[in-house]
Amino acid sequence: MLTFERHTGCLLASAAATGKTPPVTPASCRLVPRLQSAFPGVKIKLRGDAGFALPLLYQFCEFFDIQYALGMPANCVFQHRAEPRQKQLQRRYRRTQMPQRSLSSFRHRARSWRCQRHICYKAEHTATGTNLRFLITNCAGRSSEVFAFYNDRGECENRIEEFKNGFRADRLSCHRFLANAFRLLLHGFAYNLVNLFGMQLPQPWRSAQIETLRAQLFKIGARVRQTARCIRFHLATGWPFQNLFRSPPRRQQRLT
């Protein structure tokens, strides 16, 4: 389970799972109080795919006043509630031959829930058929606003891909679970170190992937000369990115 901060891309928490169910609540119990203590008055919002749709997580978010929008697997009850809108889109598509899309919501209470909760759904009908997507949320506002907030998690999906592919975080090949959990922790440290480094670079470089940084900034030849007063790095005069290291002293201190 990986938890990212949307705007900076920092990896806030990573946890190895022992089975198919991710360790959502234990990791959240450690993370959320620390965030609320460090950033008092800041509203915390959570979004995740259908793998995190667990009643215990809903109760946790409601207890700590966290706004959430989580994907929900489709079931017969949800499909029955969305059926009138679905048939309406089918008739409209047959009449216009244009793709149709509609967003709506309803209240629902499952047997394992202590109260009713808000379910938003998106119905689409195209030449390939009908597509239904469901969300469970406690966010106020229209269904279109809730789906816009949920769909913005795509940036974090890019971070997950970079974490797995760029830092080889999916190579947990040890025979013991504790050893793999420690390897995941090391991958997380490496990711955050490079991510914080990238935040200090000029704007065109901040979105660069790790492979680009490795090839153009990290894997370069240099001669290190240490004296009693300073440490000097002698780089090739033909290196095209030498201006990145000719920064004001304040930025150089942040990079070190």
Side-chain angles (χ1 to χ4, degrees), residues 61-88:
C61 292
E62 292 160 0
F63 179 82
F64 282 97
D65 194 25
I66 299 174
Q67 293 184 357
Y68 63 86
L70 305 171
M72 286 286 289
N75 55 47
C76 58
V77 177
F78 289 176
Q79 291 174 348
H80 178 72
R81 297 291 296 269
E83 186 177 0
R85 184 62 56 91
Q86 179 181 350
K87 292 182 177 180
Q88 182 182 8

Side-chain angles (χ1 to χ4, degrees), residues 66-130:
I66 299 174
Q67 293 184 357
Y68 63 86
L70 305 171
M72 286 286 289
N75 55 47
C76 58
V77 177
F78 289 176
Q79 291 174 348
H80 178 72
R81 297 291 296 269
E83 186 177 0
R85 184 62 56 91
Q86 179 181 350
K87 292 182 177 180
Q88 182 182 8
L89 295 181
Q90 290 176 351
R91 292 192 297 267
R92 193 180 301 171
Y93 175 80
R94 287 195 297 265
R95 185 173 64 253
T96 63
Q97 295 300 310
M98 296 291 293
Q100 302 297 320
R101 178 187 179 191
S102 179
L103 295 97
S104 188
S105 62
F106 57 87
R107 306 287 295 183
H108 176 71
R109 180 181 181 181
R111 293 181 179 179
S112 59
W113 298 357
R114 60 180 178 83
C115 61
Q116 283 190 339
R117 292 189 169 93
H118 193 198
I119 306 296
C120 296
Y121 69 92
K122 176 178 65 175
E124 296 177 326
H125 194 88
T126 62
T128 59
T130 300

Side-chain angles (χ1 to χ4, degrees), residues 49-62:
D49 56 25
F52 298 95
L54 303 172
L56 191 60
L57 182 60
Y58 314 151
Q59 298 177 20
F60 175 86
C61 292
E62 292 160 0

Side-chain angles (χ1 to χ4, degrees), residues 6 25 31 34 46 56 62 96 117 128 135 140 156 161 169 185 198 224 229 231:
R6 164 63 177 86
T25 307
L31 179 62
R34 295 183 63 181
L46 173 69
L56 191 60
E62 292 160 0
T96 63
R117 292 189 169 93
T128 59
L135 299 180
C156 291
E161 182 180 1
L185 189 64
V224 182
R229 304 180 63 179
I231 299 177

Side-chain angles (χ1 to χ4, degrees), residues 149-163:
F149 166 68
Y150 176 77
N151 292 335
D152 193 42
R153 84 192 195 285
E155 176 61 27
C156 291
E157 297 284 350
N158 295 333
R159 300 288 181 169
I160 294 174
E161 182 180 1
E162 175 74 357
F163 181 67

